[in-house]
Amino acid sequence: MAAAALRVARRQLSQHSGSGAPILLRQMFEPKSCTYTYLLGDRESREAILIDPVLETAPRDAQLVKELGLRLLYAVNTHCHADHITGSGVLRSLLPGCQSVISRLSGAQADLHIEDGDSIRFGRFALETRASPGHTPGCVTFVLNDLSMAFTGDALLIRGCGRTDFQQGCAKTLYHSVHKKIFTLPGNCLVYPAHDYHGHTVSTVEEERTLNPRLTLSCEEFVKVMDNLNLPKPQQIGERTGVWTPGSEGGGVGPEL
């Protein structure tokens, strides 16, 4: 029943009311993993969601929700992150009524599992779930119902993208995900990533379509670049509650959201 409620008007998201107050948006930063957490709220109904909360900063997020007089419905994860532990569990404790959400394909435990095309509603607004695997099999991008903003997780970063050399990643899959699920959005759609390491906060679809040094390559060139990054693994990889899907090299149970 709960999962079915997320699928109301699947692929038929209503446009937000032009007569009401605009969406409330707050972008917050966790410096150790350079992670962005996003708070979205409806100023009229006071219903809200959080995207990609981090364990260490979950109390900060909960305090902001309370200060703004919001009711947090969902703590939503774009994927299982390898560089930090999700704050969803803490938020469920601090804000009763909040439910954790992640893609069914992530292999992670959560109150609600979502799939491509599902709608997550809060007040007059909704996020469409767009499957964007490649960084991990369970990656999703969340697109606001008026197509004005997209929360791309690690699939698309500002002038970059998520790595594909672990967590069952696949460079070719990521390339096609970004080009088919994100670059097909309107050019002025704002891009809000899960991380940034250079001080950027927001981009647009048009900027990334034309300026992203990796994703403007051909698919074959992109795969070659991604296969030769030789990056070190994130420090928190392998911790029990935050990183690996069942059956991956990290072992253990699925993340507990």
Side-chain angles (χ1 to χ4, degrees):
M1 290 294 292
L6 287 178
R7 301 191 180 103
V8 176
R10 184 182 181 99
R11 294 190 176 278
Q12 295 181 358
L13 304 179
S14 61
Q15 301 295 305
H16 78 81
S17 171
S19 60
I23 193 170
L24 182 152
L25 171 65
R26 296 289 183 273
Q27 183 183 46
M28 297 166 285
F29 189 66
E30 191 284 306
K32 184 176 180 180
S33 61
C34 295
T35 299
Y36 286 126
T37 297
Y38 299 94
L39 174 65
L40 285 73
D42 182 342
R43 298 175 189 271
E44 293 184 357
S45 71
R46 314 311 296 174
E47 293 181 343
I49 66 169
L50 271 168
I51 300 175
D52 285 334
V54 179
L55 177 65
E56 289 80 1
T57 48
R60 172 205 66 187
D61 301 344
Q63 181 62 30
L64 180 60
V65 169
K66 293 176 182 178
E67 289 175 351
L68 296 178
L70 301 173
R71 181 166 65 92
L72 190 66
L73 301 182
Y74 305 112
V76 181
N77 297 270
T78 56
H79 65 293
C80 289
H81 293 266
D83 52 5
H84 69 263
I85 300 172
T86 179
S88 297
V90 173
L91 289 164
R92 290 168 70 243
S93 299
L94 295 175
L95 299 170
C98 171
Q99 294 182 294
S100 59
V101 182
I102 198 167
S103 166
R104 186 177 303 280
L105 296 177
S106 70
Q109 300 173 19
D111 295 314
L112 301 170
H113 288 105
I114 51 175
E115 299 176 355
D116 185 61
D118 286 350
S119 167
I120 303 175
R121 296 185 175 277
F122 55 105
R124 297 165 296 139
F125 301 94
L127 293 177
E128 176 195 2
T129 303
R130 294 193 175 196
S132 47
H135 174 61
T136 74
C139 284
V140 297
T141 291
F142 296 112
V143 180
L144 193 64
N145 49 302
D146 64 357
L147 305 183
S148 64
M149 56 186 74
F151 300 88
T152 56
D154 285 17
L156 176 64
L157 306 179
I158 298 173
R159 307 301 191 267
C161 62
R163 60 196 293 177
T164 58
D165 57 330
F166 60 82
Q167 285 189 291
Q168 301 169 318
C170 174
K172 184 176 181 180
T173 299
L174 177 59
Y175 185 90
H176 290 301
S177 290
V178 173
H179 279 262
K180 293 178 180 179
K181 295 298 183 74
I182 301 174
F183 283 176
T184 53
L185 291 165
N188 62 355
C189 177
L190 298 175
V191 170
Y192 289 104
H195 303 281
D196 190 83
Y197 309 96
H198 306 289
H200 301 295
T201 58
V202 63
S203 183
T204 68
V205 167
E206 183 61 23
E207 282 185 40
E208 298 309 313
R209 271 197 305 235
T210 57
L211 299 175
N212 192 297
R214 294 181 185 173
L215 289 155
T216 51
L217 300 172
S218 69
C219 183
E220 292 75 14
E221 292 171 326
F222 176 80
V223 170
K224 185 176 181 179
V225 167
M226 299 302 291
D227 286 348
N228 290 279
L229 291 179
N230 298 317
L231 298 171
K233 290 184 178 180
Q235 292 182 353
Q236 297 192 67
I237 235 170
E239 293 190 26
R240 183 180 70 85
T241 56
V243 296
W244 294 99
T245 56
S248 65
E249 69 176 63
V253 299
E256 296 178 354
L257 302 181

